[in-house]
Amino acid sequence: MKALRIDDEMRPAEAASLLEQAEHRRERAQADLDAFWFPLVLFGSLSMVAAGLSLAVGLDSLGLFWLVAGPGGGALTARHYIRRGRRLGVGRVGWPYVAVSAALMIGAFLTGGLGTGLVQELGPVSCVACCYLGFAWIERSVAVACVALGMGGVIAALALLQPPATVELALLGTGALMLTSGLFVRYRSEAA
Amino acid sequence: MTHPSLQLDNTVHQRVRLGILSVLAEADEADFAYLRNALGLTDGNLSRNLAVLEQAGLVRIDKRFEGRKPRTWVSPTKEGRRAFAAEIQALRDLLARVDAVEP
């Protein structure tokens, strides 16, 4: 490492200015990278459709629905991120998103398929909430972390109350939360 | 204990190069035009500073074709991320030292 010589010793004001600029540039890059509204809106809508489907056709339809909608929604989200990255000229590597998405799908199918009682009813949405914390970490996004915690709150309330149609209410509650948060993030960033 | 100024790396410390690494600390890759606009630089100035960072092994530069159009993408190396984090820490240490001395 080529260090500064002692006679080059920098002034505190210069150090503060450099730190401030570095922080400002990081924040700007983060704002340009912020594209999470799309999967929030997409998967929020899909969750609400799933709740309706479960009420109309039955709980058994959910496995098949998510087997198609999960990877399909993931592919659409990947396309959105890649196209946006190419248009703006800035992006993040994809493998962390793929790893968290795979963990989400496996966890949701295992708890929904093999679990019993509350684990079967609320396990899949709990996996989604946990994996959204993972997405929040990848995106360094407080907004996504808040959505994940909000989903956790909905799940905890349903686990305590155990109302009839718990699965549908979980899908409806978390879906509505994701959809409204996604739309809010989208219009807030557009306004900024 | 060494003075925090001595922890500063001349390659990273320069304002433009620190700016490039700041953007790349958040994004995993950025193209030439994005960096030029984000940092308000001319093509020549950005090229020169990228060459210094590439030579020091702090960034990787890839030229890719999108259709017929060439596009230059810049990404940080592990060493680049480490150097950026060390530089930020050194600057914070320097300020903390000043705060501790001043009443």
Side-chain angles (χ1 to χ4, degrees), chain A:
Chain A
M1 186 176 89
K2 202 164 75 178
L4 292 185
R5 295 195 316 271
I6 197 74
D7 54 349
D8 290 334
E9 203 171 288
M10 72 181 316
R11 293 190 182 93
E14 196 188 337
S17 152
L18 278 172
L19 270 176
E20 196 182 317
Q21 277 190 13
E23 194 50 43
H24 171 72
R25 278 174 181 144
R26 279 181 69 146
E27 278 171 10
R28 188 184 154 176
Q30 192 180 21
D32 287 339
L33 285 160
D34 189 1
F36 211 76
W37 69 268
F38 182 83
L40 282 176
V41 169
L42 178 65
F43 284 100
S45 306
L46 286 173
S47 291
M48 294 172 83
V49 169
L53 188 73
S54 179
L55 285 172
V57 183
L59 268 176
D60 293 343
S61 60
L62 284 179
L64 185 62
F65 175 80
W66 284 117
L67 202 61
V68 176
L76 279 176
T77 303
R79 184 168 162 264
H80 167 75
Y81 269 76
I82 291 167
R83 288 179 72 162
R84 194 172 187 278
R86 283 192 186 145
R87 181 166 49 83
L88 291 177
V90 65
R92 290 196 174 109
V93 292
W95 69 263
Y97 292 95
V98 175
V100 174
S101 303
L104 188 160
M105 286 291 287
I106 292 166
F109 274 99
L110 283 180
T111 51
L114 303 177
T116 52
L118 265 186
V119 173
Q120 187 182 35
E121 287 178 337
L122 295 175
V125 277
S126 303
C127 288
V128 175
C130 289
C131 288
Y132 268 66
L133 279 179
F135 289 129
W137 176 74
I138 297 169
E139 296 252 332
R140 298 166 189 94
S141 167
V142 177
V144 179
C146 289
V147 172
L149 293 175
M151 288 164 85
V154 170
I155 294 162
L158 289 170
L160 280 173
L161 300 172
Q162 296 190 27
T166 303
V167 175
E168 289 81 3
L169 282 174
L171 285 168
L172 211 57
T174 54
L177 181 68
M178 288 160 78
L179 182 61
T180 49
S181 310
L183 290 173
F184 175 74
V185 170
R186 167 83 170 132
Y187 289 110
R188 191 193 57 177
S189 61
E190 240 179 36

Side-chain angles (χ1 to χ4, degrees), chain A residues 1-4 9-10 12 15 17-19 21-22 25-26 28-29 32 86 88-93 140, chain B residues 3 5-10 13 15 19 22 26-31 34 38-39 71 73 84 91 94-95 98:
Chain A
M1 186 176 89
K2 202 164 75 178
L4 292 185
E9 203 171 288
M10 72 181 316
S17 152
L18 278 172
L19 270 176
Q21 277 190 13
R25 278 174 181 144
R26 279 181 69 146
R28 188 184 154 176
D32 287 339
R86 283 192 186 145
L88 291 177
V90 65
R92 290 196 174 109
V93 292
R140 298 166 189 94
Chain B
H3 192 279
S5 289
L6 297 173
Q7 303 298 316
L8 297 170
D9 181 344
N10 247 344
H13 180 69
R15 197 170 284 266
S22 303
E26 199 59 46
D28 293 314
E29 59 176 12
D31 80 348
Y34 179 86
L39 301 169
R71 202 163 172 187
W73 288 89
F84 175 74
L91 288 170
L94 189 73
L95 287 175
V98 171

